[in-house]
Amino acid sequence: MFSHRHRFLGIPLGNSVLSSLVPVGIVILAALVLVGYIWTASEDRHLEEDKQRYAEAFLEQQREQLRSEVTRAKALILRKKAQAEEAMRIALKRRVDYAYGVAEGIYQTYHGQRSDQEIKQMIVAALREVRFNQGRGYYFITSLSGLEYLYPPRPEFEGQQVADIFPPAIQALLEEMINIVTASDQGFVEYDWYQPGEDELSRKYSYVKLFKPYGMIIGSGDYLVHFEEQVKAQIFREIAADSFGLKEEGYFFINSYQGDLYVTNGEYFAGRKNIWEVTDARGRKVVQENARLAQSQPEGGFTQYTWEKAEGVEAEKISFVLGIDEWQLFIGAGAYLDTIDQRLDERETLYLSLMQQRNFGTILVLLLAVLAVAVVLIAIGRRLAHNLRMFQNNLERSVDTWTRLKGSDIHFTEFKRLAVSVNSMIDGLNRQADELRHRAFHDHLTSLPNRLHGSTQLELMISHTLHHQATAALLFIDLDHFKEINDTLGHSAGDELLCQVSERLREAVRDEDIVARLGGDEFTVITGLLNEPEEAGRLAEQLLAAFRQPFRIEGNDYYVTASVGISLFPEDGDSAEILLRNADSAMYEAKREGRNRYCLYTPALTEAVSQRFTITEEMREALDKGQFRIYYQPQYNLFTGELIGAEALLRWFHPERGLIPPDSFIPMAEASGQIVPIGEWVIREVCNRLAQWQEEGIYIPKVAVNIASQQMNTDLVGVVQEVLQSSGCYPAALELEITESSLIENPQQMSAELTKLKATGISLAIDDFGTGYSSLSYLKQLPINKLKIDRSFILDLEEDENDRAITQAIVAMSQSMHLSVIAEGIESEAQVEFLKSLQCTEGQGFFFSKPLPEDAFVELLKQQG
């Protein structure tokens, strides 16, 4: 029966199927060509639209950058102005406290021995000739009853009532001072007064304090303008050196409302030049217009004019101008439109190139698609013909028993069973694939995205941010001192901590942010779109806040902190690798600054990391290759001129770089841990030299060696004992200097270690004293022999009253605690005389001698006998 039906068809079944597929192939080919044409036209239209959007967005971005830069600069200026006012208030209070101390000292010394009138005269005489602030500052003394005791500008007023010699305004000022000291013994008074030789009023501050034994108001004042001028010059120079924007053409300009020029085009003019009448190429008086704009619009405004660029070419410029009424100034910054146009042209050229590549790719894809369609149609035709022949044979064998089904029904039960089996198999394979995919892209411990998946998410963030012309950030998080937790509590406790940290990080971020674990104790947060870069900092603060509560591990609470580095896209990198590297650099900067904080990436970090890496790697071999040398800076008795010791200073002589300064490699040696073997080498080298000199009959009482804080965490006591024994060095000749800042990190442990070191027979000194804010009550319990006054207090000893007061306090405290005291960094005879007046007996510095190599130092010892 089926054989007749076969002949009835008239043509072979395979050829019939193939010929029936030819129209289908033609339709598919035409559809592919049409799709290609529509896609190409759509791409051209989107290119033009994107170009227009980018031009508008880019120009607006430049305007916003100008507004942001100028606003930031103004905020910096106002902050410095406020700091100047606070500095003046602090200086005034310190001076009046000093005068009060003089009065108190005279009173305590002569009370009961001389009459009150004589004591008052002694107080007035002690303060009469005191001057400061280039001679314009002085002290005044008035009684609560209004009697003028001391008034240096007009000595003839002294001994008279204020009401008789001053106008009502001064009498009102005196009443205000009396109210202040009556209520709280001391305080500030603010008023307007004439400066010497000037007709205009200036803001003046005075600080007054009541000397109760005689009801005397002791005070001093100064004009705010003198402090502000110093701050103004400093901050204007910093602003002048700042540049930004495309090709770093952006710079700040600052003028007074009267046209006095302070800053422009990277130079500082200090207001000595007036450009009020300067015009641009079109005759517009740009400075006058900018001044009017700044005064009329408190929030600032934009202006456009023609201006000359640094290379001498004139171009259209858009600027943002903002007034600073507090100083009668305006500040602005601008961008040249021709540079913006060049950037737009470069982007258009890049887009056209990309478009050509994509069009070529599209044509190639279409050709491949046509070839694929042809191959697929042929393959489908052959397989259908084969299947139909197989189905026909089955029909011929079962024609008597097979019941026809509707066209929508499946004709063969085997295909239903096969479909069920295939579906079951595919479901199982999908479940296995999902599990393998999760393992491949997620961390097994925390279930967070792993490094591979995190890199993919970072690439998606970059693409998404580019599409929206927005900003995003990558935060690199590293736990502080995680190794100590693993070493102390075990790895299981460390794993539990990592799981709890991952949960807190997920809870701290936003829904659109992604937390990933890179490995170990390193995590990253890939942010969604940010409205402003500052949001990254706020997010980092939220992450750090998540660590403030203790972690519950094995029934105990542990406090753990983290360091966070931030890199922004696209400012800090245009690829995932660069962003990750820069965020890592910023994280290490945060650790260097003290941990438990975040740090934003700056280009300087990359250069610093590269330099630190190079020096760190070369330093690993420097010790073995004998590149380190010990220099000795002599220490003298200030009264006798006798050489009483020396400080051993480390120097690195690199075969190619020459002498590398200590401040260029010591911090890196501390950060890398190499300071421990280097420090041990210094101790050993000094002790060997001391023993050698002793055998040669060369005598030196003591040599001081600096000790890093990392060395205190090692078996330093054992090292010192072994070196003293092996070298034969007399212990009393060795002095170890420990920085004050290292003592306050773990004072109890440090006290115990110092006690053990003292037991070896050596002496101990605290280096850089006065900079570490150590507790004096705890200091007296430490087994130390000497305090070393930091050179920062000696440097300006001749001009800075604060440095003199601090130095005097340190010397007095040392004497009361029966400690030796030595001043470092002495550079002048005047500094020596001042220190001698305080009974400071020891000192070192370039005034006596610079650090000497061993041969020169030995020769000096021989000359000293």
Side-chain angles (χ1 to χ4, degrees):
M1 177 177 178
F2 272 90
S3 61
H4 290 289
R5 197 171 292 166
H6 218 167
R7 288 191 297 272
F8 180 74
L9 292 174
I11 58 173
L13 186 59
N15 292 336
S16 175
V17 171
L18 287 174
S19 61
S20 64
L21 291 177
V22 171
V24 177
I26 294 174
V27 171
I28 295 176
L29 177 60
L32 287 174
V33 173
L34 179 61
V35 169
Y37 171 79
I38 294 174
W39 182 87
T40 303
S42 175
E43 283 295 300
D44 289 336
R45 185 176 67 256
H46 288 162
L47 174 62
E48 188 63 29
E49 294 173 353
D50 185 73
K51 174 185 174 182
Q52 181 64 27
R53 286 194 301 270
Y54 181 81
E56 296 173 355
F58 190 80
L59 181 58
E60 182 61 26
Q61 179 185 7
Q62 295 302 307
R63 291 166 64 92
E64 287 302 314
Q65 183 182 16
L66 292 176
R67 186 195 304 273
S68 175
E69 291 289 342
V70 173
T71 302
R72 174 184 62 82
K74 176 182 177 180
L76 178 61
I77 291 172
L78 295 181
R79 185 166 62 252
K80 291 292 185 179
K81 179 180 182 297
Q83 291 173 357
E85 183 174 339
E86 181 60 22
M88 185 193 70
R89 293 168 68 94
I90 293 173
L92 285 175
K93 184 179 184 304
R94 186 180 297 117
R95 293 191 188 107
V96 174
D97 288 341
Y98 168 82
Y100 185 91
V102 171
E104 180 69 20
I106 294 174
Y107 178 82
Q108 293 295 336
T109 302
Y110 297 102
H111 181 63
Q113 300 179 17
R114 296 191 180 184
S115 67
D116 291 342
Q117 183 62 29
E118 289 178 319
I119 295 175
K120 292 178 184 179
Q121 292 175 356
M122 294 174 67
I123 294 173
V124 170
L127 300 178
R128 178 181 299 280
E129 302 301 327
V130 178
R131 296 291 185 273
F132 33 84
N133 294 339
Q134 293 76 46
R136 68 176 182 272
Y138 57 86
Y139 292 107
F140 60 84
I141 301 177
T142 307
S143 72
L144 292 174
S145 62
L147 181 64
E148 195 71 50
Y149 284 107
L150 175 63
Y151 188 59
R154 299 290 298 272
E156 64 272 23
F157 287 176
E158 296 173 4
Q160 300 184 50
Q161 289 292 325
V162 171
D164 298 332
I165 57 177
F166 285 112
I170 299 301
Q171 298 176 30
L173 177 61
L174 175 61
E175 292 178 2
E176 184 178 354
M177 293 180 181
I178 293 174
N179 292 335
I180 289 174
V181 298
T182 302
S184 56
D185 291 343
Q186 55 189 322
F188 285 98
V189 182
E190 180 180 349
Y191 53 97
D192 294 328
W193 196 247
Y194 295 98
Q195 293 195 60
E198 294 186 7
D199 298 327
E200 294 184 0
L201 291 172
S202 298
R203 177 57 52 175
K204 187 172 185 179
Y205 288 82
S206 288
Y207 186 81
V208 292
K209 190 169 184 178
L210 179 62
F211 186 66
K212 292 183 177 180
Y214 296 134
M216 299 166 63
I217 302 174
I218 302 176
S220 181
D222 203 356
Y223 297 92
L224 178 61
V225 65
H226 297 289
F227 284 79
E228 290 182 340
E229 287 300 327
Q230 298 176 7
V231 174
K232 186 186 300 182
Q234 176 187 356
I235 189 60
F236 284 4
R237 284 192 175 93
E238 295 177 6
I239 292 176
D242 198 4
S243 60
F244 57 91
L246 299 175
K247 301 182 179 180
E248 295 296 318
E249 288 182 340
Y251 61 86
F252 293 99
F253 54 84
I254 301 176
N255 295 86
S256 72
Y257 286 156
Q258 293 76 37
D260 296 328
L261 177 62
Y262 288 89
V263 171
T264 186
N265 207 12
E267 296 185 60
Y268 173 65
F269 293 87
R272 292 186 291 268
K273 181 179 180 181
N274 191 281
I275 57 173
W276 184 252
E277 299 297 332
V278 171
T279 61
D280 68 353
R282 299 179 181 178
R284 297 175 55 189
K285 294 185 177 181
V286 176
V287 178
Q288 296 184 25
E289 293 183 7
N290 286 346
R292 286 192 292 270
L293 175 62
Q295 294 178 80
S296 62
Q297 297 188 25
E299 299 300 324
F302 287 94
T303 179
Q304 188 169 335
Y305 51 89
T306 304
W307 205 251
E308 184 174 310
K309 303 175 72 172
E311 57 268 28
V313 179
E314 292 186 342
E316 282 290 314
K317 185 175 185 180
I318 182 172
S319 296
F320 182 78
V321 179
L322 187 60
I324 307 176
D325 294 336
E326 291 82 355
W327 278 344
Q328 293 296 292
L329 302 170
F330 66 86
I331 182 171
Y336 290 99
L337 297 182
D338 62 342
T339 304
I340 297 176
D341 293 337
Q342 291 174 12
R343 180 66 178 269
L344 294 175
D345 292 339
E346 292 172 0
R347 178 182 173 86
E348 181 178 5
T349 301
L350 176 62
Y351 263 70
L352 289 175
S353 175
L354 294 175
M355 187 64 189
Q356 292 175 357
Q357 296 177 13
R358 294 177 67 179
N359 288 340
F360 176 79
T362 302
I363 295 174
L364 181 61
V365 169
L366 289 175
L367 292 176
L368 292 176
V370 171
L371 179 61
V373 167
V375 173
V376 169
L377 288 176
I378 293 173
I380 290 175
R382 289 179 177 177
R383 292 190 178 187
L384 285 175
H386 173 74
N387 289 339
L388 289 174
R389 284 194 296 270
M390 185 176 60
F391 292 159
Q392 187 174 16
N393 291 334
N394 291 336
L395 287 172
E396 288 177 346
R397 288 194 298 270
S398 59
V399 66
D400 295 330
T401 58
W402 184 62
T403 304
R404 289 182 176 273
L405 301 174
K406 296 180 180 179
S408 58
D409 296 333
I410 297 177
H411 299 290
F412 301 100
T413 305
E414 289 78 9
F415 279 87
K416 293 182 179 181
R417 294 174 182 172
L418 180 61
V420 172
S421 299
V422 169
N423 289 336
S424 176
M425 179 185 67
I426 291 176
D427 290 341
L429 290 175
N430 283 337
R431 286 191 296 270
Q432 294 180 12
D434 289 340
E435 183 178 352
L436 291 175
R437 190 179 298 109
H438 187 274
R439 291 181 179 179
F441 293 109
H442 289 79
D443 176 54
H444 72 282
L445 179 64
T446 64
S447 295
L448 292 175
N450 58 14
R451 178 182 291 272
L452 177 62
H453 192 28
S455 298
T456 303
Q457 294 297 324
L458 185 55
E459 293 286 357
L460 292 176
M461 178 271 278
I462 292 174
S463 177
H464 186 58
T465 308
L466 281 174
H467 178 72
H468 289 276
Q469 293 294 310
T471 299
L474 174 67
L475 282 70
F476 196 109
I477 306 153
D478 186 273
L479 302 185
D480 297 330
H481 305 299
F482 177 72
K483 183 178 182 299
E484 298 178 4
I485 295 177
N486 264 345
D487 295 344
T488 304
L489 305 179
H491 289 278
S492 61
D495 291 345
E496 173 61 24
L497 173 61
L498 292 175
C499 291
Q500 293 187 33
V501 168
S502 66
E503 287 298 324
R504 292 197 186 182
L505 292 179
R506 274 192 290 238
E507 294 173 356
V509 300
R510 307 169 304 176
D511 293 339
E512 61 269 28
D513 302 329
I514 299 174
V515 181
R517 182 191 178 200
L518 298 185
D521 61 335
E522 296 178 340
F523 299 84
T524 58
V525 173
I526 305 165
T527 72
L529 300 182
L530 303 177
N531 295 322
E532 55 183 0
E534 289 75 10
E535 286 188 15
R538 291 194 289 270
L539 179 57
E541 291 175 351
Q542 293 178 9
L543 296 177
L544 294 175
F547 288 84
R548 291 173 184 165
Q549 296 299 321
F551 292 87
R552 191 73 174 177
I553 301 175
E554 296 180 352
N556 296 309
D557 290 339
Y558 296 93
Y559 286 91
V560 179
T561 61
S563 300
V564 182
I566 304 175
S567 61
L568 299 173
F569 177 83
E571 292 89 336
D572 299 333
D574 56 2
S575 68
E577 180 182 358
I578 295 176
L579 286 174
L580 187 62
R581 183 184 65 202
N582 291 342
D584 184 47
S585 298
M587 181 274 294
Y588 276 106
E589 181 66 12
K591 284 188 177 294
R592 190 186 69 81
E593 292 180 357
R595 297 184 172 87
N596 192 24
R597 66 192 65 217
Y598 73 89
C599 181
L600 292 168
Y601 170 78
T602 61
L605 291 178
T606 299
E607 181 179 354
V609 168
S610 177
Q611 184 179 12
R612 286 199 301 270
F613 177 81
T614 301
I615 293 180
T616 300
E617 290 302 310
E618 293 177 345
M619 189 165 45
R620 297 183 188 278
E621 301 177 355
L623 193 60
D624 296 333
K625 294 182 178 180
Q627 297 175 4
F628 289 119
R629 299 286 187 277
I630 301 296
Y631 273 44
Y632 299 86
Q633 184 169 37
Q635 298 173 339
Y636 290 88
N637 184 301
L638 301 183
F639 290 88
T640 66
E642 179 185 4
L643 194 152
I644 59 172
E647 180 180 4
L649 301 172
L650 184 63
R651 296 292 185 266
W652 180 8
F653 288 87
H654 193 278
E656 297 176 359
R657 302 173 184 266
L659 176 62
I660 300 179
D663 56 356
S664 297
F665 71 90
I666 292 295
M668 280 167 271
E670 293 176 343
S672 63
Q674 296 183 57
I675 193 64
V676 175
I678 293 175
E680 181 178 339
W681 177 85
V682 173
I683 297 174
R684 192 176 301 276
E685 185 71 11
V686 169
C687 289
N688 288 335
R689 295 286 79 75
L690 287 171
Q692 176 184 340
W693 296 340
Q694 183 177 352
E695 292 177 0
E696 295 174 0
I698 302 173
Y699 173 75
I700 180 172
K702 197 177 300 296
V703 173
V705 176
N706 292 287
I707 298 298
S709 58
Q710 291 95 322
Q711 292 177 264
M712 297 298 296
N713 297 325
T714 64
D715 185 18
L716 182 60
V717 177
V719 170
V720 171
Q721 290 174 336
E722 187 273 329
V723 170
L724 290 174
Q725 182 177 3
S726 62
S727 65
C729 174
Y730 186 59
L734 177 63
E735 182 177 83
L736 299 185
E737 293 185 355
I738 298 94
T739 60
E740 185 183 11
S741 58
S742 66
L743 292 175
I744 64 176
E745 293 178 357
N746 193 340
Q748 294 181 349
Q749 179 181 351
M750 287 297 176
S751 178
E753 290 297 315
L754 293 180
T755 301
K756 296 178 183 177
L757 285 171
K758 187 70 175 293
T760 64
I762 67 173
S763 59
L764 300 173
I766 297 181
D767 195 13
D768 302 334
F769 187 79
T771 62
Y773 308 101
S774 60
S775 171
L776 299 181
S777 62
Y778 182 78
L779 181 64
K780 65 182 182 181
Q781 303 176 17
L782 295 176
I784 59 174
N785 305 92
K786 181 184 293 183
L787 298 181
K788 196 168 190 179
I789 305 175
D790 186 74
R791 66 179 64 249
S792 63
F793 302 121
I794 306 300
L795 180 63
D796 297 324
L797 200 59
E798 301 170 48
E799 299 85 16
D800 194 305
E801 297 177 2
N802 294 331
D803 288 347
R804 291 199 295 271
I806 292 174
T807 303
Q808 182 177 5
I810 294 175
V811 174
M813 181 185 67
S814 302
Q815 294 171 348
S816 66
M817 297 175 65
H818 305 292
L819 299 176
S820 299
V821 60
I822 182 171
E824 62 177 347
I826 300 175
E827 297 182 0
S828 69
E829 179 69 31
Q831 293 172 351
V832 173
E833 293 302 320
F834 180 81
L835 291 169
K836 289 169 64 176
S837 70
L838 301 179
Q839 297 303 309
C840 176
T841 59
E842 300 178 10
Q844 69 181 79
F846 277 32
F847 176 77
F848 300 106
S849 173
K850 64 181 181 180
L852 301 174
E854 181 180 340
D855 293 341
F857 182 67
V858 171
E859 185 64 29
L860 177 63
L861 291 176
K862 292 179 179 179
Q863 294 175 4
Q864 295 286 327

